[in-house]
Amino acid sequence: MARETAHGQGFSMSERRLSASTLPDLPSSVTKPAYDIAKARIGIVHLGLGAFHRAHQAVMTDTVLASDPRWGICGVSLKSKRVCDALAPQDGLYAVLEKSIEGTRARVVGAVREMLFLGTERDRLLARIADPGVEILSSTVTEKGYCHDPATGRLNFEHPDIVHDLSHRAEPASTIGVLTAGLAARRAANGGPITVVCCDNLPHNGRTVEGIVRAYAQALDPALARWIAANVTFPCTMVDRIVPATTDADIAEAARLLDAADAAPVVAEPYIQWVIEDRFAGARPRWEDAGAELVADVAPFETMKLRLLNGSHSTLAYLGFLAGYDFIWQASSDPDLAQLVEHLMTDEVIPTLEAPPSVDLAAYGAQVRERFRNPALPHRTKQVAMDGSQKLPQRFLATVRERLASGKSIAHLALAIAGWIRYASGTDEAGKPIAVSDPLAAKFAAIASAAAGNASQIADGFLDLAEVFGADLGSNVAFRRAVSRDVGSLFRDGVRRTLAVHIARHRP
Ligand code: CS2
């Protein structure tokens, strides 16, 4: 008889499985929780039990639990039961496989002490958020999970999930609906103040989510909106760790390293960074003991990371995919793409940034480029390419606006954005369809089909998407001209030749 893993691979029932009872017998090479997992209490409710949370915040929280048992995590899956089902027989335990050229290191994390699936455990979830022992309500649901308009950062009241939630008030399904229902339950139970910690790559993520939640609560119940304003804080955070999707090969590697089956391991690079605005409504874990930075102002860290790391990541994803690369490390090792990313950082992005305290921006950029080249980390260009409509504004367009306002060149940024348009138009250079995964994918397909291969019409159709470019950039002639020219060249000459010409033109 076989059991399903989070990735659909079967395990035999006779195989030893990672769990509280097998934990003591794991090989000594595996790092284990430095505390008794049975004694940990729940102090954090986290929405979005995906790989990123388990490889990032849960790891730092695991370190804190060694000295403070208050901060166990109740991890919530909003859409699919698979991770809950995989973790339940393992008592919430899973391995983080840290991969570098030196090899793979395995650490078993015990921080996730409870798993809830919204579909069947809504009442337990609301009771958890209302519990005064819970001080933190955090989230990792990706950019699109907040149902906002990416160009303005405001709640999109026409989003189907928001329309649904406002008309099915007892059964919200979106992150914002569930989060607000949790806050309402806490208010009703007199659970006290609470801190909402967004850990997604949104610009000013705390402020943005605060605005979205308050707008939603106002539509639901103005008294609730007032309670939130008085009792809930939304610190901004910058989160950073590269976490590729787990594959069957990773599951097999975890089994080898643990000498026990793990149905839900996660894979990550060695690097990890978490910068948190110190603005908590109540008690908080001492995440600084695990290396997090608690600061008064996250903005310079966040802008640096979104524009230098994520902006370059997306550049490599779109142009790299078109050039035939499956993995980010391959695209980063391509000489022309590597030069483009270096120029993008040095000539166009860094001049817009304010360096965070004691950070050297050039050194940070060089370190990011080195992280991307980690050949042990099979991070797919296709994975980073997802949801471009939600990512472009904070990764490229804020930089574009600032540069245009001061009359500066945007040549590299324009090529990166053209790469997105070329990719999102839905066919590769051999004419094969690309499975474009994006909330606006249907719009992209309509633009491409109406343009019937005419590059300038395709560019126009994309640049008219106000939800991405806003009214200002959409009507900026210099911006449109620069991007359209590169879209034309990508269609006419292909990515290789476009890159070569671009690099030759910008050689110092
Ligand atoms: C990536 C990020 O998928 C993406 O869009 O750019 O997930 C990136 O790996 C993380 O932000 C790194 O911290």
Side-chain angles (χ1 to χ4, degrees):
M1 194 178 159
R3 267 191 270 186
E4 278 287 292
T5 69
H7 294 270
Q9 181 183 291
F11 283 142
S12 105
M13 293 288 262
S14 56
E15 208 171 343
R16 185 161 85 137
R17 181 92 180 249
L18 174 64
S19 72
S21 60
T22 55
L23 191 57
D25 306 324
L26 296 184
S28 57
S29 54
V30 176
T31 308
K32 296 180 228 165
Y35 55 94
D36 179 354
I37 59 167
K39 299 219 169 89
R41 305 195 293 273
I42 302 291
I44 299 172
V45 173
H46 182 83
L47 307 181
L49 198 41
F52 185 72
H53 170 69
R54 285 183 285 133
H56 188 274
Q57 306 98 64
V59 171
M60 292 221 184
T61 306
D62 192 62
T63 301
V64 174
L65 278 164
S67 53
D68 188 346
R70 283 179 297 167
W71 303 111
I73 298 170
C74 163
V76 183
S77 281
L78 297 168
K79 295 211 167 92
S80 151
K81 232 167 131 259
R82 272 162 74 183
V83 176
C84 291
D85 285 349
L87 288 175
Q90 300 181 185
D91 304 305
L93 298 169
Y94 61 90
V96 177
L97 306 181
E98 221 178 80
K99 295 195 175 193
S100 70
I101 39 170
E102 276 109 58
T104 304
R105 288 177 38 194
R107 167 175 178 171
V108 169
V109 169
V112 179
R113 299 296 351 111
E114 181 173 78
M115 290 75 64
L116 295 179
F117 173 53
L118 175 70
T120 49
E121 289 160 311
R122 178 182 299 276
D123 293 344
R124 283 185 63 195
L125 167 60
L126 296 182
R128 260 298 171 216
I129 300 175
D131 175 355
V134 167
E135 302 271 3
I136 310 285
L137 175 52
S138 53
S139 60
T140 47
V141 293
T142 80
E143 293 88 341
K144 67 170 175 265
Y146 295 91
C147 301
H148 67 302
D149 172 19
T152 61
R154 284 203 280 275
L155 177 63
N156 175 5
F157 278 102
E158 278 154 36
H159 192 294
D161 295 355
I162 297 300
V163 172
H164 169 275
D165 286 3
L166 285 173
S167 54
H168 298 79
R169 296 183 172 209
E171 297 218 314
S174 73
T175 303
I176 296 302
V178 170
L179 202 151
T180 312
L183 296 177
R186 191 165 177 102
R187 171 176 175 240
N190 257 321
I194 188 165
T195 305
V196 172
V197 184
C198 169
C199 298
D200 279 301
N201 288 317
L202 300 177
H204 312 297
N205 56 9
R207 299 296 176 282
T208 301
V209 172
E210 177 169 18
I212 295 170
V213 168
R214 283 168 69 168
Y216 181 88
Q218 185 67 31
L220 208 60
D221 171 7
L224 174 62
R226 283 195 297 279
W227 183 86
I228 291 173
N231 292 280
V232 186
T233 62
F234 296 78
C236 286
T237 68
M238 181 267 250
V239 288
D240 192 7
R241 190 169 213 192
I242 297 175
V243 181
T246 305
T247 63
D248 287 344
D250 300 322
I251 292 181
E253 187 177 11
R256 264 197 317 276
L257 292 168
L258 303 181
D259 195 16
D262 176 357
V266 293
V267 170
E269 63 173 337
Y271 187 92
I272 183 164
Q273 187 178 17
W274 195 6
V275 186
I276 311 166
E277 183 184 10
D278 200 352
R279 201 160 72 98
F280 286 76
R284 65 164 178 84
R286 282 186 53 88
W287 280 311
E288 59 271 48
D289 292 349
E293 297 154 76
L294 275 292
V295 302
D297 183 12
V298 171
F301 293 94
E302 169 214 291
T303 311
M304 168 182 81
K305 193 251 169 177
L306 289 173
R307 295 186 189 182
L308 281 176
L309 187 151
N310 296 109
S312 306
H313 228 181
S314 294
T315 305
L316 291 166
Y318 299 121
L319 295 169
F321 180 93
L322 293 168
Y325 296 118
D326 284 337
F327 298 109
I328 293 288
W329 70 266
Q330 297 169 323
S332 320
S333 311
D334 175 283
D336 284 347
L337 280 168
Q339 281 217 42
L340 173 67
V341 165
E342 193 172 336
H343 284 317
L344 176 75
M345 288 186 171
T346 312
D347 307 345
E348 295 184 358
V349 179
I350 289 181
T352 68
L353 297 175
E354 171 200 338
S358 64
V359 173
D360 176 319
L361 292 169
Y364 176 88
Q367 184 189 36
V368 165
R369 297 196 296 274
E370 194 184 321
R371 288 166 59 197
F372 287 168
R373 287 195 298 267
N374 179 352
L377 210 63
H379 199 195
R380 292 195 174 271
T381 45
K382 212 168 58 188
Q383 187 185 346
V384 178
M386 277 173 64
D387 298 338
S389 68
Q390 315 291 301
K391 294 173 174 173
L392 250 62
Q394 56 274 24
R395 296 182 181 207
F396 298 127
L397 305 181
T399 319
V400 166
R401 284 191 177 89
E402 286 176 30
R403 291 193 61 87
L404 288 175
S406 52
K408 303 269 171 48
S409 144
I410 54 157
H412 310 308
L413 289 153
L415 179 53
I417 295 163
W420 170 67
I421 294 177
R422 175 68 189 82
Y423 176 94
S425 74
T427 46
D428 69 13
E429 293 193 347
K432 278 212 319 263
I434 301 175
V436 178
S437 173
D438 193 292
L440 299 189
K443 283 197 181 184
F444 301 167
I447 294 168
S449 111
N454 178 319
S456 84
Q457 245 176 285
I458 291 180
D460 280 339
F462 275 89
L463 292 167
D464 284 342
L465 292 168
E467 54 273 69
V468 179
F469 295 101
D472 62 333
L473 279 183
S475 59
N476 186 305
V477 178
F479 174 68
R480 289 188 81 104
R481 199 184 300 129
V483 175
S484 297
R485 203 193 52 188
D486 288 338
V487 172
S489 153
L490 286 170
F491 273 101
R492 197 182 51 243
D493 306 330
V495 65
R496 289 247 149 254
R497 176 146 179 75
T498 302
L499 273 169
V501 170
H502 182 93
I503 297 299
R505 190 182 304 134
H506 292 94
R507 191 156 284 134

